[in-house]
């Protein structure tokens, strides 16, 4: 595949921006993807449904970074030849404040954390019911939006165990026992733990994200945090599935089968985008990854990831400028964020550094 010069320029500029030093945001991509995979498999979802949830789980991190540097992924395309029309509606824009609330950061009391859990659960349940019934949702987008809600909400669930002192407290008290998940501990016992999450970015008098995070295999307490996050993810999806108004059988059986276009979108483009960009940014599993994708040598892995990402971005460019793509979507699996803005539904009322959205 040979890319035209304009697309090569777009892809290269984007990837160079992705290489800029960036603060850690969450469990690195491999671990988020693994916890999400196990949650979906344990609850009976198909491989295609699982991959949609994994990809949209990653978009929470991606948009947090892109919002920091670019004002959003789509802003890069606005600034380059062939990008979205200047007349595109403002409703296509994502707000960074919504994304920053989906990482369980900058909560400095057990009360704030308890409230955050309650609001996240309420928001997720309400959003699933909303998009399951809303007649304005195009039928082809409905399963994508609902699976995206699962993936994005799981990101927040998983980050709690990496970004708070929950794991620290339980390991201090019972170092040989598995760390319990949030809903397994009665409220009076939770209140006695003096819980906090890391300040992001750090500030005076507050424990920073860098001190508390367990995001990669090189971080202290990563293994028990990941174990707790995985069990919590399985339980979270199971809890959501108690709502009989959601078409769970349809979602669990989501299957793109022999649809060559859909498979190209999800497997060739989106799945490769997830792995390649996170490897390029050293967000796949820290600076010394225990897992590589394209080559066993991490340095070679990054070079090959860069090449793969250039090809993916070329494919995205082709899709975004199609006349029959009114939303300028890279693929249909971005629709949950770029068309229906599920991040707004999930973030409503969540607190970040003392401020509710």
């Amino acid at each position: 595949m040979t890319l035209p010069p304009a697309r090569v320029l777009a892809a290269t500029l984007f990837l160079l921006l992705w290489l800029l030093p960036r603060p850690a945001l969450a469990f690195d991509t491999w671990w988020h993807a693994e916890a999400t995979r196990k949650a979906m498999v344990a609850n009976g979802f198909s491989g295609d449904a699982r991959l949609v949830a994994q990809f949209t789980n990653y978009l929470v991190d991606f948009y947090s970074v892109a919002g920091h540097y670019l004002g959003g992924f789509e802003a890069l395309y606005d600034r380059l030849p062939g990008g979205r029309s200047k007349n595109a509606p403002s409703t296509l824009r994502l707000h960074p404040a919504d994304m920053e609330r989906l990482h369980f950061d900058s909560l400095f009391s057990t009360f704030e954390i308890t409230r955050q859990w309650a609001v996240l659960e309420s928001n997720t349940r309400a959003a699933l019911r909303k998009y399951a019934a809303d007649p304005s949702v195009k039928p082809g987008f409905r399963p994508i939006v609902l699976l995206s809600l699962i993936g994005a909400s799981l990101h927040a669930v998983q980050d709690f165990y990496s970004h708070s002192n929950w794991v620290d407290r339980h390991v201090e008290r019972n170092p040989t026992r598995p760390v319990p998940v949030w809903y397994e501990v009665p409220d009076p016992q939770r209140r006695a733990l003096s819980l906090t999450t890391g300040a992001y970015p750090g500030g005076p008098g507050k424990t920073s994200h860098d001190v508390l995070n367990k995001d990669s295999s090189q971080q202290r307490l990563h293994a028990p945090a990941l174990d707790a996050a995985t069990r919590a993810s399985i339980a979270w999806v199971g809890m959501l599935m108690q709502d009989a108004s959601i078409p769970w059988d349809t979602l669990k059986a989501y299957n793109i089968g022999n649809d060559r276009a859909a498979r190209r979108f999800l497997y060739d483009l989106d799945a490769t985008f997830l792995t390649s960009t996170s490897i390029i940014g050293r967000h796949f599993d820290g600076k010394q990854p225990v897992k590589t994708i394209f080559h066993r040598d991490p340095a070679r892995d990054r070079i090959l990831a860069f090449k793969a990402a250039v090809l993916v971005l070329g494919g995205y460019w082709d899709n975004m400028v199609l006349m029959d793509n009114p939303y300028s979507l890279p693929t249909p699996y971005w629709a949950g964020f770029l068309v229906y803005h599920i991040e707004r539904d999930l973030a409503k009322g969540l607190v970040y550094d003392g401020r509710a959205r």
Side-chain angles (χ1 to χ4, degrees), residues 176-191:
T176 62
R177 297 176 61 183
V179 174
V181 302
W182 177 260
Y183 291 108
E184 292 175 341
V185 178
D187 185 62
Q189 294 180 31
R190 293 198 296 249
R191 288 199 300 266

Side-chain angles (χ1 to χ4, degrees), residues 105-150:
D105 287 324
S106 297
L107 303 167
F108 305 117
S109 70
T110 305
F111 173 81
E112 281 191 336
I113 291 172
T114 301
R115 181 186 179 281
Q116 199 88 330
W117 271 111
V119 174
L120 178 65
E121 179 183 342
S122 176
N123 286 356
T124 306
R125 290 181 182 276
L128 286 168
R129 290 192 294 270
K130 170 185 172 180
Y131 290 107
D134 188 344
S136 70
V137 179
K138 295 183 177 181
F141 281 152
R142 194 180 306 278
I144 292 173
V145 173
L146 294 175
L147 290 168
S148 298
L149 280 165
I150 296 173

Side-chain angles (χ1 to χ4, degrees), residues 4 17 20 29 84 95 117 150 154 167 172 175 220 305 318 325:
L17 285 167
L20 289 171
T29 301
R84 183 181 291 119
H95 198 294
W117 271 111
I150 296 173
L154 279 173
V167 171
E172 288 166 2
R220 172 181 168 272
D318 287 341
N325 184 1

Side-chain angles (χ1 to χ4, degrees), residues 26-27 32 35-36 39-40 43 45 52-61 98-99 101-104 116-129 131 144-161 163 183 229-230 232-241 246 248 251 336-337 341-348 350:
F27 268 124
H32 268 302
T36 302
M40 300 300 281
N43 284 285
F45 286 82
V52 177
Q54 288 177 300
F55 175 64
T56 52
N57 181 295
Y58 173 66
L59 286 183
V60 175
D61 266 347
D98 293 318
M99 292 300 181
R101 282 161 170 73
L102 297 178
H103 299 286
F104 251 103
Q116 199 88 330
W117 271 111
V119 174
L120 178 65
E121 179 183 342
S122 176
N123 286 356
T124 306
R125 290 181 182 276
L128 286 168
R129 290 192 294 270
Y131 290 107
I144 292 173
V145 173
L146 294 175
L147 290 168
S148 298
L149 280 165
I150 296 173
S153 66
L154 279 173
H155 192 104
V157 169
Q158 292 155 5
D159 272 359
F160 169 72
Y161 298 93
H163 295 178
Y183 291 108
T230 300
S233 297
I234 294 170
W236 180 262
V237 176
M239 177 187 69
L240 296 176
M241 292 175 68
I246 310 302
W248 293 113
L251 294 179
F337 291 93
H341 286 293
I342 62 168
E343 75 284 351
R344 298 175 187 173
D345 297 274
L346 292 175
K348 184 178 180 180
L350 293 181

Side-chain angles (χ1 to χ4, degrees), residues 235-270:
W236 180 262
V237 176
M239 177 187 69
L240 296 176
M241 292 175 68
Q242 294 172 10
D243 187 341
S245 68
I246 310 302
W248 293 113
D249 287 344
T250 300
L251 294 179
K252 287 168 64 177
Y254 181 73
N255 182 3
I256 55 181
N258 295 320
D259 186 331
R260 294 180 63 183
R263 294 196 72 81
R264 175 176 177 269
F265 291 147
L266 184 58
Y267 284 83
D268 295 348
L269 295 178
D270 291 336

